[in-house]
Amino acid sequence: MIDDATFWTLTILLGIGTFLIRFSFLGFFGRRQLPDWFVLHLKYVGVGVLPAMVTPLVLWPQASGGETEPARIFAALVTFLVALRLSVTGALVAGMGTLYLMQALL
């Protein structure tokens, strides 16, 4: 395990580092109008990052030793279908609700 002083030092340094990364972007571009093509590409970042983070957790979850679970597959499917009809927030709520319900039933 890591001792408390090392943990908090690392946490604070990582927080400062991520703040500086975000602030540098806003500092450079905060007062300028970004090109339309760039703004269009920024809109797709969330759409690309969320599935990239979730897919390994659905297909090879650590909680089950890497075994695919039907509850996670079904929850991912419900999340995808709700995302097509509603919003991202609705999709996340529906997916989490489905996962918890399926885990309780199975």
Side-chain angles (χ1 to χ4, degrees), residues 68-101:
T68 304
E69 296 176 340
R72 293 178 190 270
I73 298 292
F74 190 68
L77 181 63
V78 168
T79 303
F80 177 73
L81 294 175
V82 171
L84 291 176
R85 302 285 294 153
L86 299 175
S87 65
V88 172
T89 306
L92 292 173
V93 170
M96 287 188 318
T98 303
L99 178 63
Y100 294 142
L101 179 67

Side-chain angles (χ1 to χ4, degrees), residues 44-60 76 80 92:
Y44 294 111
V45 169
V47 175
V49 168
L50 185 61
M53 290 181 353
V54 172
T55 301
L57 298 174
V58 170
L59 296 179
W60 305 285
F80 177 73
L92 292 173

